[in-house]
Amino acid sequence: MADNARAKRLADLIREVVAQKLQRGIKDPRLGSHVTITDTRVTGDLREATVFYTVYGDEEERKAAAAGLESAKGVLRSAVGAAAGVKFTPTLTFVADALPDTARTIEDLLDRARESDAKVREVSAGASYAGEADPYKKPGEDEDDTAE
């Protein structure tokens, strides 16, 4: 079992090698400049690596990029093996990163909350209190309660 620091260094190396190879070494049109490697994680035994990526574009481009990454998996693993110099080159698994979609969903929810707050602010602009301005009782004001 490798230590966490070694797994982290290997994950960083894999991320850099895969990104450079995608940018310069692979001529697949499905993997143009719109694929970005966001993160890489390596298991503790250094046997498997998960590479997270994002694709700039619509759903068709995402599917095409996923197919392109699967077809280029062998070439990318060979490049990682040559650069890493480890006894066993980790197998690569490509996973689409859900972070941009999650961020977009959160931004939409925040926009809806801002609109709702603006509507409440408009409705309450000319409103006044339902009762007195100071609804709290103060000692000595109500003599009926103290007499009992």
Side-chain angles (χ1 to χ4, degrees):
M1 178 81 53
D3 60 353
N4 288 337
R6 184 173 180 200
K8 175 82 171 111
R9 283 193 312 269
L10 183 61
D12 291 342
L13 178 72
I14 290 171
R15 185 179 67 239
E16 291 174 12
V17 168
V18 169
Q20 288 177 356
K21 193 73 173 169
L22 285 175
Q23 187 178 19
R24 295 189 192 117
I26 296 184
K27 301 298 182 206
D28 193 343
R30 299 174 291 185
L31 300 174
S33 61
H34 56 277
V35 175
T36 304
I37 304 300
T38 56
D39 192 19
T40 307
R41 296 186 186 147
V42 178
T43 57
D45 60 357
L46 306 179
R47 295 279 180 163
E48 297 176 12
T50 305
V51 180
F52 295 93
Y53 67 94
T54 59
V55 179
Y56 182 74
D58 59 357
E59 190 62 33
E60 290 180 18
E61 290 178 350
R62 290 182 189 141
K63 288 179 182 177
L69 286 170
E70 283 300 315
S71 69
K73 188 183 286 190
V75 174
L76 294 172
R77 185 172 180 219
S78 297
V80 167
V86 292
K87 186 176 186 180
F88 181 82
T89 302
T91 58
L92 301 178
T93 305
F94 292 97
V95 177
D97 198 354
L99 185 65
D101 295 332
T102 305
R104 192 174 310 114
T105 303
I106 290 173
E107 285 296 325
D108 292 342
L109 290 172
L110 288 173
D111 288 341
R112 246 188 276 156
R114 284 186 200 105
E115 290 172 6
S116 175
D117 288 347
K119 287 179 185 176
V120 168
R121 212 173 294 117
E122 288 175 13
V123 169
S124 66
S128 62
Y129 293 106
E132 300 173 17
D134 188 11
Y136 300 104
K137 293 182 181 180
K138 296 185 177 55
E141 279 186 5
D142 195 15
E143 293 156 8
D144 294 336
D145 290 338
T146 58
E148 293 177 15

